[in-house]
Amino acid sequence: MADALKGGGTPGRGAASRASRGGGVSDARAARARELHRKALEADELAARQRAERDALIRRLREEDPKRWSYGALAAAIGCSRELIALVVKRAKGS
């Protein structure tokens, strides 16, 4: 009884009460998977914003000076393939 009072509840309910405070996840592995999932979603959102900014810069460079910023020149400067540059530029024309 004294142990139950120290724990703030009845014996055997500690995990359940911890789970309810921690979002319903009582297994440490499940909690870790949940955290990794949340971080992966955040990383995906950040990557999407960065790709959008990259694409806008590519399009702006091409529009300002298409002779200087050929697909090959852009690909070399950025470190990607000419195919990616072509995709970005063509996607802008289709918008």
Side-chain angles (χ1 to χ4, degrees):
M1 176 96 171
D3 290 332
L5 293 175
K6 281 184 184 177
T10 59
R13 292 198 37 141
S17 63
R18 281 192 300 275
S20 65
R21 288 191 303 262
V25 180
S26 61
D27 188 294
R29 294 169 298 176
R32 178 67 176 152
R34 179 186 179 124
E35 175 66 13
L36 292 172
H37 178 69
R38 184 188 61 76
K39 287 182 178 185
L41 290 175
E42 290 172 0
D44 288 344
E45 291 167 2
L46 176 60
R49 288 193 303 271
Q50 290 173 338
R51 281 190 299 274
E53 184 178 355
R54 175 205 62 199
D55 294 355
L57 290 168
I58 289 169
R59 288 189 293 270
R60 200 169 313 137
L61 287 166
R62 280 283 297 173
E63 288 168 5
E64 290 173 6
D65 193 351
K67 288 184 181 178
R68 177 180 177 200
W69 293 112
S70 66
Y71 289 12
L74 280 166
I78 295 169
C80 65
S81 69
R82 292 173 52 123
E83 291 79 10
L84 175 63
I85 300 298
L87 179 68
V88 169
V89 171
K90 290 176 183 175
R91 194 178 322 151
K93 290 178 183 177
S95 300

